[in-house]
């Protein structure tokens, strides 16, 4: 990794890319989303302050755990401009994401635990599938592998409150 002398306070986009490990296109994207900022030289070249290195590291770490860019931008907006985010800054900002990450981990654990059942069945029935129908929210309305376009005027067998039939069936339809 190329070292940049301490006396250099601004980095080119190429230097920032080399030091951060992010592609130049990613840095342009981050800038367009307001995650990092640059100034333009008289020759219209981007120059980033050294604190952009830490901000890019912050963005990439947050992305790796699945935090949306809009949430990352909101977090970075709480930091003063021109200052490298500190470990305390990261701890404070990431603490607010903890419950969201815990919920996502629980969802992934449920997916992992029920994946074999799903592959064994192969239908992803909305009536019983815990992957495509967590907590059986569609099971009370109708059964089947997915919600499909309804055929005009047709209904599934039943009395009052019968639901319209669908174009194809699966798993007990």
């Amino acid at each position: 990794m190329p070292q940049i002398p301490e006396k250099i306070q601004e980095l080119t986009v190429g230097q920032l890319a080399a030091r951060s490990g992010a592609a130049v296109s990613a840095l342009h994207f981050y800038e367009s989303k307001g995650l990092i900022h640059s100034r333009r030289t008289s020759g219209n070249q981007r120059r980033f302050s050294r604190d952009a290195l830490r901000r890019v590291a912050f963005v990439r770490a947050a992305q790796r755990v699945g935090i949306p860019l809009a949430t990352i931008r909101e977090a970075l907006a709480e930091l003063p401009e021109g200052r490298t985010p500190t470990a305390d800054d990261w701890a404070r900002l990431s603490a607010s994401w903890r419950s969201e990450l815990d919920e996502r981990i629980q969802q992934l654990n449920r997916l992992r635990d029920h994946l074999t059942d799903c592959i064994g069945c192969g239908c992803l029935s909305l009536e019983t599938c815990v992957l495509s129908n967590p907590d059986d929210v569609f099971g009370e309305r109708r059964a089947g592998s997915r919600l499909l376009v309804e055929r005009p005027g047709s209904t599934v067998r039943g009395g009052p409150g019968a639901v319209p039939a669908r174009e194809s069936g699966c798993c007990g339809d």
Side-chain angles (χ1 to χ4, degrees):
M1 181 178 316
Q3 294 298 315
I4 299 170
E6 289 292 324
K7 65 182 179 183
I8 296 177
Q9 295 303 310
E10 291 186 318
L11 309 173
T12 66
V13 69
Q15 290 170 322
L16 183 57
R19 287 294 310 275
S20 68
V24 169
S25 59
L27 297 174
H28 290 168
F29 178 75
Y30 293 163
E31 186 177 19
S32 75
K33 296 300 181 186
L35 300 167
I36 59 175
H37 305 283
S38 69
R39 74 167 186 85
R40 297 294 180 128
T41 67
S42 59
N44 203 31
Q45 296 175 334
R46 288 176 171 89
R47 292 294 185 264
F48 295 90
S49 62
R50 289 182 76 90
D51 69 293
L53 280 168
R54 183 66 58 92
R55 289 175 183 270
V56 170
F58 181 94
V59 170
R60 295 184 78 201
Q63 282 186 297
R64 274 194 295 278
V65 296
I67 303 299
L69 288 178
T71 304
I72 297 168
R73 182 178 50 248
E74 290 169 9
L76 287 171
E78 294 179 22
L79 301 175
E81 274 299 314
R83 175 173 73 72
T84 301
T86 65
D88 288 340
D89 291 330
W90 172 252
R92 180 176 44 84
L93 295 173
S94 63
S96 66
W97 300 335
R98 188 171 194 79
S99 63
E100 181 183 335
L101 292 173
D102 288 343
E103 175 62 28
R104 193 170 303 144
I105 289 167
Q106 289 175 357
Q107 289 173 347
L108 288 171
N109 283 334
R110 281 194 301 270
L111 175 63
R112 180 203 60 215
D113 294 345
H114 294 287
L115 193 57
T116 304
D117 298 338
C118 176
I119 291 170
C121 169
C123 74
L124 291 176
S125 171
L126 281 177
E127 183 176 1
T128 60
C129 183
V130 295
L131 298 178
S132 62
N133 185 22
D135 302 320
D136 198 24
V137 292
F138 293 117
E140 292 181 17
R141 293 187 353 209
R142 59 178 66 159
S145 63
R146 56 196 171 278
L147 299 176
L148 297 174
V149 177
E150 298 169 351
R151 284 186 245 157
S154 61
T155 59
V156 173
R157 291 179 302 264
V163 296
R166 289 159 299 171
E167 291 183 5
S168 69
C170 174
C171 303
D173 283 351

